[in-house]
Amino acid sequence: MEARDIIIRPLITEKSTTLMAEGKYVFEVAKSANKIEIAKAISQIFKVKVASVNTINVEGKVKRMGRSVGKRSDYKKAIVKLAAGETIEFFEA
């Protein structure tokens, strides 16, 4: 799998912006990717050194619109901690 196939998109939320102060960045990743593949992909794309990776499988919520019931997609989230002094400029803008 290519690095761009593993990292789907960054997740920008209120909680993720507070984590950036600690050097942690949050991404939505491919469900089949493991921590080692995620760390290599982040290092390759953003040219930074990764200290650790935590992953979470997020269940999609059940939503209703009138009588019809649907479900949001499940996805995998990765919290990537960078080595001391490293930042990703993509988030700094």
Side-chain angles (χ1 to χ4, degrees):
M1 219 187 309
E2 292 286 320
R4 301 267 180 200
D5 296 333
I6 293 171
I7 307 301
I8 297 171
R9 66 187 177 104
L11 293 176
I12 310 296
T13 61
E14 191 174 339
K15 186 173 182 178
S16 69
T17 52
T18 57
L19 287 173
M20 285 183 210
E22 301 172 27
K24 296 179 181 179
Y25 297 90
V26 183
F27 296 92
E28 182 179 338
V29 296
K31 287 196 61 93
S32 61
N34 61 32
K35 292 181 181 187
I36 296 165
E37 292 172 337
I38 294 167
K40 285 181 184 176
I42 295 292
S43 297
Q44 185 179 6
I45 293 170
F46 297 107
K47 311 284 191 274
V48 292
K49 188 173 181 185
V50 176
S52 66
V53 177
N54 294 329
T55 58
I56 303 126
N57 284 310
V58 181
E59 292 276 332
K61 291 183 176 181
V62 175
K63 291 291 183 177
R64 290 182 50 139
M65 286 196 108
R67 287 188 290 162
S68 59
V69 178
K71 183 177 176 289
R72 289 184 185 166
S73 298
D74 300 338
Y75 64 96
K76 190 174 202 175
K77 181 165 65 171
I79 300 173
V80 179
K81 183 173 183 179
L82 302 182
E86 297 271 356
T87 59
I88 297 177
E89 293 179 19
F90 176 80
F91 290 96
E92 306 302 319

